[in-house]
Amino acid sequence: MPLNLPILLTWLRVALIPIFVGIFYLPHDLLPLHSQNMLGTLVFALAAVTDWFDGFLARRWNQTSSFGAFLDPVADKLMVGAALILLVELARAPAWLAVIIIGREITISALREWMAQIGKSKSVAVATIGKFKTTAQMIAILFLLWWDALLPGIPTRWIGLAALYIAGVLTIVSMFYYLRVAAEQFREHG
């Protein structure tokens, strides 16, 4: 396993998951709900920034590796999955929508693994629709974690829910896009 700054940033993202989740389980007399929302949002935002930054540095410094290519999406899926499950438990997101998003992530990860095994991983590389889905998902999670109004008249919960529904639609559309791209390989390789 190579050890460089991009991979360390990815490991940091994984390490932030229990911290991020734990913040919302602290007793309210120790950390009031408003403070939990702020701190949890900041930790999630830090993780999101490391996601962008580790890939940027790996490409810029030519430190890409197969291990990094494996670990990065795993860290992303774990962080997003943990956030969505937490939001469902906090009654800030519908469970059915979280199941769709998490289910798609598992399905596409398995599809990418299978495509890599048959030497066709470039066929299911991240597409623009997937980037839009991820952007909507991150915006939704950040607003739903914050939950409180940013400024008077700016209801973060409604912005977050709207972004989550948009992410849900893009999740389904992108899943069908990737499945359509891979359909030819399914026919060839059974």
Side-chain angles (χ1 to χ4, degrees):
M1 171 184 78
L3 200 56
N4 53 41
L5 184 57
I7 287 180
L8 288 174
L9 287 171
T10 305
W11 278 118
L12 173 63
R13 192 158 66 255
V14 173
L16 287 173
I17 294 169
I19 294 167
F20 159 71
V21 172
I23 288 167
F24 288 93
Y25 285 94
L26 292 172
H28 290 145
D29 56 339
L30 181 63
L31 190 65
L33 183 59
H34 176 72
S35 298
Q36 288 178 353
N37 291 342
M38 285 192 318
L39 188 57
T41 303
L42 291 175
V43 171
F44 187 86
L46 174 63
V49 168
T50 67
D51 180 27
W52 175 83
F53 204 52
D54 64 7
F56 172 78
L57 290 178
R59 288 183 298 277
R60 178 119 180 163
W61 294 345
N62 198 25
Q63 293 182 340
T64 58
S65 68
S66 56
F67 181 75
F70 157 77
L71 185 62
D72 183 66
V74 170
D76 297 346
K77 306 314 181 226
L78 289 172
M79 191 72 182
V80 168
L84 289 171
I85 291 167
L86 180 66
L87 289 170
V88 167
E89 183 163 330
L90 294 171
R92 298 180 186 182
W96 64 269
L97 195 47
V99 168
I100 288 172
I101 292 171
I102 294 169
R104 180 263 187 209
E105 298 303 333
I106 293 168
T107 302
I108 299 306
S109 293
L111 176 68
R112 284 190 173 124
E113 176 66 24
W114 180 74
M115 295 293 281
Q117 287 178 1
I118 63 169
K120 301 288 185 179
S121 58
K122 293 200 187 288
S123 302
V124 284
V126 176
T128 302
I129 186 81
K131 292 178 182 181
F132 286 142
K133 183 265 315 170
T134 300
T135 300
Q137 195 171 269
M138 291 304 182
I139 290 168
I141 291 170
L142 287 167
F143 276 102
L144 292 172
L145 288 171
W146 187 268
W147 199 246
D148 302 314
L150 284 172
L151 298 170
I154 301 178
T156 59
R157 63 186 70 190
W158 299 117
I159 296 169
L161 278 173
L164 191 63
Y165 280 100
I166 291 168
V169 169
L170 292 173
T171 292
I172 293 167
V173 170
S174 67
M175 184 175 73
F176 284 114
Y177 167 80
Y178 290 120
L179 290 174
R180 184 180 55 78
V181 167
E184 182 179 315
Q185 301 306 318
F186 281 130
R187 286 189 288 277
E188 287 180 21
H189 295 281

